[in-house]
Amino acid sequence: MSKRFLAAALLLSVSFAPAYAAKTSLVVGMPIEPPGLDPTVAAPVAIREVTWANLYEGLVRIDRNGKVQPLLAKSWEISPDGLTYTFRLQEGVKFHDGTTFDSADVKFAFDRARAPTSTNAQKQIFAPIDAIETPDPQTVVIKLKETSGNFLYYLGWGDAVIVAPETAENNKANPVGTGPFKFKSWTRGDRVELTRNPDYWQKDKIKLDSVTFRFISDAQAQVAALRAGDVDAFPNLGAPELFTEFQKDKRFSAVAGNTEGEIVAGMNNAKKPFDDVRVRRALMHAIDRKALIEGAYSGFGQPIGSFFSPNNPAFVDMTSVIPYDTAKAKALLAEAGYGNGLSITIKSPQMAYASRSAELIAAMLSEVGVDMKIIPTEFPAKWIEEVFKNKDYDVTIVAHTEPLDIDIFARDNYYFNYKNDKFKALIAEAAKTTDEKARYAKYAEAQKILAEDVPALFLFQLPKLGVWNAKLKGMWENSPVPANDVTEVSWTE
C-alpha cells in the first residue's frame, strides 16, 4: 500500500468523522415538589417553577429582564380610554393533545379564572374584566370595567396561562398546554419529566429534547447532587454558605442574582398580642436585619423595611422607619403591658432559609424578653392548610415570590388578618392608575403605611443563588417572575 494511498485514506477518515453532538437533556434541581401541575388553580410557587413557559403559555410572557413580550398573542391594541384590549393570536398553535388553540380557549381560560368558584391564587388580576369577546378564531377583545395599569403585565404571570376546556379539569396531574415541552411522567417525591413537543409552534427555537425536574429538599444533598453530576443545574441553591465554593470551581457557573421574593415573618394581626401595633413595632425593632442576612444567607440578600421588591422602579427604602433598636423594643413592649415578658410561637416551613431565619429571630427576640417557640411545619401542604387557609398561627415566615404583590395586604381574608381601609383604598387607586409616575407615587405611600403599621416583620429580599454546569447557556440569572424557564437553554462544548 503506497504512502499516497494511506494519506488519502487518513484524510477521508477525518473528513467524515461524526461531528460532536451537543447534549440535549437537562436535569434541574428544585428544593420543593409542587402539589400539582396547574398554576391556574393553586398558589405554591413550585407549580410555576416547573410549568410556566415550559408546559403552559400565556397571551404574553415576562422575559428574563422583566419586560412584557408577545407570546400566544402576536400583537395587541389598547383603546385610548384604556378599557379595551384587542389581541391578535398566533396561528398554527396546538395544545399537547392535538387540539387547536384559538380565541375560544382564551375566553374559557379567563372566564374560568374569574369565576365565583375559581381557586386561582391571583384571581384579583381578572377582576377588572367586564366581558370577553371572540369575533373570530384569531382575535380576542377584552373589555374592562375600570382601567388597570398593570393588566398586560399580569397576563404574563403563571396564573394567566391558557388552558383548554377539554383538558383543564385534569391539568393538576396530567398537564396539557401549548408549550415547547410535553408532560411525560411524575414520580411523586422524586421528579417530573418533560419531553420535547414535536408540534410546538416555535420548535426551531428549542434545543433540548428532555427536561427533568428533581426535588431535593436537603441543602447538603443539593450540593452533592451538583458535584456528582446527578443534576445539571440548581437555580435556587439552598446552601448559601457553600455558594462561594462553587464560584471558585470552573466546572460550574455560580451567579448571585435577585428574585421578587420578600422574606417576611407574618403575624396574625387579628390575634392578641399582634392586634396591638406597639407589639408589632417592638418585634420589628428587635430584629437586626444585617445580622439576620449574614447568619441565614451568608450575607446574600438586601434588607427591606416594607413589602416591595428593590428591583421595582417604584421601590422606596423603608428600613429606617423602624430600625434595629432593642431599647425601643423593650419600651414598647412595656407600654403594651408586656414588660415582664411575652411568649409566642412561630410556624416555620421546613426550608433552609426559613429554619435558619426563625432560629436567629428567636435569639434576637429573647434579648428583649420575648420567648418564641419554633414549630417546624411541613411545606407546602401543612403550611398551606394550617397557616394560609385556617390562620392557625401566631407568627410564620415565608418568602412571597410573586412580583408586585403588595396588594396581598389589602385582600380580604388573607392569612395576615390585616385590615387597613386607607391602605386598601390606596392599592385600589394604584391598580387603576395608568399614569406611571402617579402609580409609583401611590405605591410609595402604600409602602410607608406598611412600614409604620408592621403587619409582618419585613426582613430581606430573597437572593437567587444559581449554580449550573459551566457548559450550559441560557439559564436565567434573575427571577423577575417565579419560574425555571428552560426554553432558551442549550449545551455548549
Side-chain angles (χ1 to χ4, degrees), residues 53-266:
N54 302 321
L55 284 168
Y56 301 107
E57 297 177 309
L59 290 181
V60 299
R61 62 168 289 151
I62 309 301
D63 68 16
R64 65 178 65 230
N65 299 310
K67 303 297 184 183
V68 176
Q69 301 293 349
L71 195 55
L72 292 177
K74 60 184 177 182
S75 64
W76 54 85
E77 299 168 2
I78 306 172
S79 63
D81 62 5
L83 293 174
T84 302
Y85 288 69
T86 302
F87 295 93
R88 310 295 178 187
L89 305 183
Q90 303 283 359
E91 298 178 2
V93 179
K94 292 184 178 181
F95 286 93
H96 298 152
D97 65 347
T99 56
T100 301
F101 159 78
D102 61 24
S103 57
D105 297 304
V106 178
K107 178 174 171 56
F108 165 78
F110 290 174
D111 282 345
R112 173 175 174 259
R114 66 195 186 103
T117 56
S118 169
T119 58
N120 191 294
Q122 305 295 337
K123 192 174 179 179
Q124 78 287 343
I125 70 178
F126 304 98
I129 296 177
D130 184 39
I132 302 174
E133 300 173 358
T134 55
D136 62 64
Q138 305 309 128
T139 306
V140 177
V141 179
I142 300 179
K143 296 185 176 180
L144 306 184
K145 292 175 283 190
E146 57 188 18
T147 53
S148 175
N150 297 307
F151 189 63
L152 268 181
Y153 180 69
Y154 290 149
L155 294 186
W157 290 9
D159 311 85
V161 296
I162 307 303
V163 296
E166 296 88 350
T167 53
E169 188 66 27
N170 298 317
N171 276 347
K172 283 192 283 188
N174 186 25
V176 174
T178 60
F181 299 99
K182 299 172 65 172
F183 175 71
K184 180 181 179 182
S185 66
W186 185 359
T187 304
R188 302 274 178 163
D190 183 30
R191 67 187 64 200
V192 166
E193 295 181 282
L194 312 181
T195 187
R196 185 188 181 103
N197 176 11
D199 300 316
Y200 184 53
W201 60 283
Q202 296 185 104
K203 59 185 176 183
D204 292 342
K205 292 186 177 181
I206 307 304
K207 306 302 180 185
L208 298 173
D209 289 329
S210 66
V211 182
T212 299
F213 291 94
R214 286 196 56 198
F215 311 118
I216 306 172
S217 59
D218 182 77
Q220 297 301 318
Q222 295 171 13
V223 171
L226 278 165
R227 287 175 171 163
D230 294 333
V231 299
D232 302 311
F234 228 104
N236 292 286
L237 186 70
E241 70 279 4
L242 297 176
F243 182 72
T244 53
E245 291 186 23
F246 282 107
Q247 289 180 311
K248 299 172 186 176
D249 192 331
K250 293 182 179 180
R251 296 175 299 165
F252 299 97
S253 293
V255 181
N258 54 53
T259 75
E260 293 297 304
E262 296 89 1
I263 297 179
V264 302

Side-chain angles (χ1 to χ4, degrees), residues 274-435:
F274 311 104
D275 58 346
D276 189 331
V277 69
R278 294 171 298 182
V279 172
R280 301 197 302 269
R281 288 173 178 168
L283 299 184
M284 190 72 263
H285 275 302
I287 305 301
D288 183 342
R289 295 181 180 94
K290 291 184 178 179
L292 178 65
I293 293 170
E294 189 61 42
Y297 240 90
S298 298
F300 296 102
Q302 180 175 341
I304 56 172
S306 187
F307 196 82
F308 216 80
S309 169
N311 308 318
N312 193 296
F315 169 78
V316 180
D317 185 358
M318 295 288 175
T319 52
S320 63
V321 174
I322 301 184
Y324 175 54
D325 186 336
T326 55
K328 184 67 173 176
K330 291 176 182 178
L332 283 169
L333 286 170
E335 184 181 322
Y338 299 99
N340 294 323
L342 173 64
S343 294
I344 59 177
T345 62
I346 182 170
K347 288 192 172 179
S348 173
Q350 292 174 306
M351 297 180 284
Y353 76 84
S355 299
R356 294 171 182 175
S357 295
E359 291 172 2
L360 290 163
I361 291 170
M364 292 176 186
L365 293 184
S366 70
E367 296 295 318
V368 298
V370 177
D371 177 35
M372 187 174 76
K373 179 184 176 183
I374 299 173
I375 303 174
T377 307
E378 187 269 328
F379 189 91
K382 193 173 182 180
W383 187 90
I384 292 285
E385 185 65 25
E386 293 183 1
V387 177
F388 193 77
K389 291 183 178 179
N390 296 335
K391 306 173 188 65
D392 178 20
Y393 78 104
D394 286 351
V395 182
T396 190
I397 183 167
V398 75
H400 285 266
T401 56
E402 295 289 356
L404 199 59
D405 55 353
I406 190 173
D407 71 296
I408 62 176
F409 288 92
R411 296 182 196 175
D412 295 328
N413 206 35
Y414 203 71
Y415 80 91
F416 299 123
N417 276 326
Y418 175 64
K419 291 179 173 59
N420 184 312
D421 291 338
K422 181 180 178 181
F423 176 82
K424 190 173 183 178
L426 192 60
I427 289 298
E429 292 170 11
K432 292 185 289 186
T433 303
T434 55
D435 179 79

